[in-house]
Amino acid sequence: MRSDHAGSVVVGVDGSDSALDATRWAAAEAARRSCGLRLVAAVAHTMFRPIGVPQLGQEYQRRVWERAAEEHLAAAVDAVREVTPEAQVQHEVRGGEARMVLHAESEGAALVVLGSRGRGGFTGLLLGSVAISVAADAVCPVVVVRGAHSPDGPAVVGIDGRGAADEPALHFAFEEAALRAVPVVAVHTWSGAVLDPFLVPTLDPKAVLVEEEQLLDERIAPWRSKYPGVEVRLAVALDGAARELVTHSEGAGLLVVGSRGLGPVAGLTMGSVSQAVLHHAACPVAVVRPETADQDD
């Protein structure tokens, strides 16, 4: 992405109600971050087919799709004005497949924001390859706006607790909590499925939870020091990661997950946990890859 767009919140716009919802969320987020807001519509060249009246040609088809994209962007600008009337908004129709356009836009962006259901250039969002590709490959964190918007709700973050893989998600969650003046809820799950089945009956569940909570508290300690004004709540459970994260998403302002991890939060952008969270979370979901979070603060 060009340097004049660096640090902006970028929104994928396709004319759907979901995209307009994502645009409103992104407008509020850009205002919180005091950064630019950029709206982008993608028009794939593969859409230019001789349909209806073939003799009109590909140039006619291109103009039709670009005009529709411009109308979608105009509606998105109106949605921005509902949230932040004085916001400076950039908008552009770009040629290319949605996932490739969004990947390019993510270079230097603060955040890429998408709706939970799309059409046109963003068809099949959350159900097909576009959302997975963007979340897996974007050069910045990606937020999929779904569920209820609770700006006063906590920032929930899934914690693996086994190394540096948690750092980007933790950084993003604490940053968001500080911007919103809300608590962080750190969620960690433990499963006996990783042990020899003959040992499981001998375990004391209460003792396991106490030990895991102590480990989680130690894991969070550096972030408490870095963000002393942010309240932290710990949530440890003997349960599946996806179910626990979805449960805690109720009433949350944002659910933050890492894209790669170990143990119960592994493979969040490609595996069953990510699918469950993206399909069933009751609030917007942020997917943060290890390479995307700036931890210089």
Side-chain angles (χ1 to χ4, degrees):
M1 195 161 67
R2 293 183 293 274
S3 61
D4 57 333
H5 304 149
S8 296
V9 173
V10 175
V11 189
V13 173
D14 66 357
S16 66
D17 290 340
S18 181
L20 292 177
D21 203 22
T23 299
R24 296 183 187 96
W25 188 95
E29 180 70 9
R32 278 190 291 267
R33 292 170 174 255
S34 299
C35 69
L37 179 65
R38 178 167 164 78
L39 314 178
V40 179
V43 177
H45 299 295
T46 54
M47 299 167 71
F48 308 151
R49 301 184 203 133
I51 58 175
V53 186
Q55 62 267 31
L56 293 177
Q58 291 187 351
E59 179 60 21
Y60 173 79
Q61 292 293 326
R62 182 187 63 78
R63 290 199 304 269
V64 168
W65 284 108
E66 288 184 351
R67 192 157 51 244
E70 289 167 357
E71 292 173 356
H72 297 159
L73 287 173
V77 171
D78 289 341
V80 171
R81 301 297 179 218
E82 296 172 12
V83 179
T84 54
E86 305 302 322
Q88 297 297 313
V89 185
Q90 296 180 337
H91 52 86
E92 182 179 356
V93 177
R94 294 194 56 180
E97 295 184 8
R99 59 183 179 178
M100 300 302 294
V101 167
L102 291 172
H103 183 276
E105 289 286 333
S106 74
E107 296 176 2
L111 197 62
V112 169
V113 181
L114 304 172
S116 60
R117 294 290 184 273
R119 72 182 187 190
F122 297 94
T123 298
L125 192 61
L126 296 186
L127 301 177
S129 62
V130 173
I132 298 299
S133 296
V134 174
D137 297 331
V139 188
C140 68
V142 175
V143 172
V144 177
V145 177
R146 56 167 294 111
H149 300 181
S150 304
D152 297 329
V156 177
V157 57
I159 302 299
D160 177 82
R162 302 187 185 187
D166 293 331
E167 295 297 306
L170 279 166
H171 179 262
F172 191 87
F174 272 85
E175 181 183 55
E176 283 291 316
L179 287 170
R180 298 161 182 257
V182 300
V184 163
V185 177
V187 178
H188 175 64
T189 63
W190 185 91
S191 173
V194 299
L195 298 179
D196 186 320
F198 292 103
L199 295 178
V200 173
T202 68
L203 294 174
D204 180 352
K206 291 183 178 179
V208 170
L209 287 175
V210 168
E211 181 178 355
E212 292 297 315
E213 185 167 341
Q214 290 175 342
L215 292 173
L216 180 58
D217 189 52
E218 293 173 4
R219 184 73 187 81
I220 294 294
W223 294 96
R224 289 183 191 267
S225 299
K226 188 176 285 190
Y227 292 88
V230 173
E231 177 189 351
V232 179
R233 303 171 188 168
L234 305 182
V236 179
L238 304 179
D239 200 355
R243 181 181 345 219
E244 198 66 17
L245 289 170
V246 169
T247 296
H248 281 279
S249 74
E250 295 283 347
L254 186 67
L255 172 59
V256 184
V257 293
S259 67
R260 293 182 184 83
L262 301 172
V265 196
L268 278 171
T269 56
M270 304 303 291
S272 60
V273 173
S274 63
Q275 292 294 324
V277 167
L278 289 174
H279 279 286
H280 301 297
C283 69
V285 178
V287 178
V288 187
R289 297 174 59 236
E291 301 90 336
T292 63
D294 177 7
Q295 299 177 50
D296 294 334
D297 294 349

